[in-house]
């Protein structure tokens, strides 16, 4: 039986100092059938795209600022996973999150 794809949605807005730590915590998971969806919710600079491009399973999307819920919903619309998980850009997961 194949493991289901998990789409991890990370909205970001002007937090360049935290985003890579959040992405890296997803990449380091013991479960590895994961896609990372980074939604830039109208940041003033384009930091998120270059960070996301460093990871094979990370996909970057930009949208005009609409707030956290809007960014999460946009991420869901772009996801391919059977399961959805949310991670804020200023947070991180332990390696064996379940």
């Amino acid at each position: 039986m194949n493991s289901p794809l998990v789409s991890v949605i990370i909205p970001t807005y002007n937090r360049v100092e935290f985003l890579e730590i959040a992405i890296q915590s997803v990449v380091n998971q013991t479960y590895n059938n994961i896609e990372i969806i980074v939604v830039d919710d109208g940041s003033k600079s384009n930091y998120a795209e270059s960070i996301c491009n460093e990871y094979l399973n990370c996909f970057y999307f930009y949208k005009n600022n609409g707030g956290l819920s809007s960014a999460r919903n946009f991420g869901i619309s772009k996801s391919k996973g059977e399961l959805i998980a949310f991670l804020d850009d200023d947070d991180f997961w332990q390696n064996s999150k379940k």
Side-chain angles (χ1 to χ4, degrees):
M1 181 172 175
N2 292 336
S3 300
L5 177 64
V6 176
S7 296
V8 179
I9 299 170
I10 305 176
T12 189
Y13 179 71
N14 295 327
R15 286 197 174 147
V16 65
E17 66 273 16
F18 299 118
L19 180 61
E20 189 158 16
I21 295 167
I23 292 171
Q24 190 63 51
S25 78
V26 176
V27 170
N28 290 339
Q29 291 300 300
T30 55
Y31 186 89
N32 59 17
N33 194 14
I34 296 175
E35 70 171 355
I36 303 167
I37 308 290
V38 172
V39 179
D40 185 337
D41 191 32
S43 296
K44 296 181 191 314
S45 68
N46 190 12
Y47 64 90
E49 185 173 18
S50 61
I51 293 171
C52 189
N53 285 341
E54 295 178 25
Y55 301 92
L56 293 176
N57 61 341
C58 190
F59 304 95
Y60 170 83
F61 298 94
Y62 178 89
K63 63 176 277 314
N64 291 328
N65 185 262
L68 182 59
S69 296
S70 172
R72 285 180 175 166
N73 287 332
F74 183 84
I76 290 170
S77 75
K78 299 298 183 184
S79 68
K80 296 179 182 135
E82 184 178 331
L83 302 171
I84 302 289
F86 298 111
L87 177 61
D88 292 337
D89 63 354
D90 65 344
D91 204 355
F92 66 93
W93 288 345
Q94 297 295 325
N95 291 353
S96 60
K97 177 173 174 54
K98 295 184 186 216

